[in-house]
Amino acid sequence: MQTLTISLLIIDTIALITLVLLQSGKSAGLSGAISGGAEQVFGKQKARGIDKVLHRATIVTGVLFFVLAFLSGYIVG
């Protein structure tokens, strides 16, 4: 059981890192910082297409990471 949990945790960690690196940046340097304030005033743009899928998948793998981390800590301890 411990080996299975650790293996799933490693796979989830690699998936989480990959998903975070695949996401596009929300701002691009100084020009993004300036237009970022305007975005908050005039409304936030909704993510579409692959960005939305990556965002949701990142949330799911993040939650799964914490569940597996607590589970592996409980099994070992």
Side-chain angles (χ1 to χ4, degrees), residues 11-76:
I11 292 169
D12 185 52
T13 304
I14 293 169
L16 185 60
I17 291 169
T18 304
L19 286 170
V20 168
L21 291 176
L22 284 175
Q23 290 183 10
S24 62
K26 301 297 180 205
S27 63
L30 186 59
S31 63
I34 295 169
S35 67
E39 230 177 79
Q40 291 177 353
V41 173
F42 298 116
K44 189 175 181 183
Q45 295 177 349
K46 293 184 178 178
R48 296 200 176 132
I50 193 69
D51 288 334
K52 189 173 184 180
V53 172
L54 288 173
H55 178 71
R56 288 186 179 170
T58 303
I59 292 172
V60 169
T61 54
V63 170
L64 184 61
F65 175 80
F66 279 104
V67 169
L68 287 172
F70 284 122
L71 185 64
S72 66
Y74 180 76
I75 290 172
V76 171

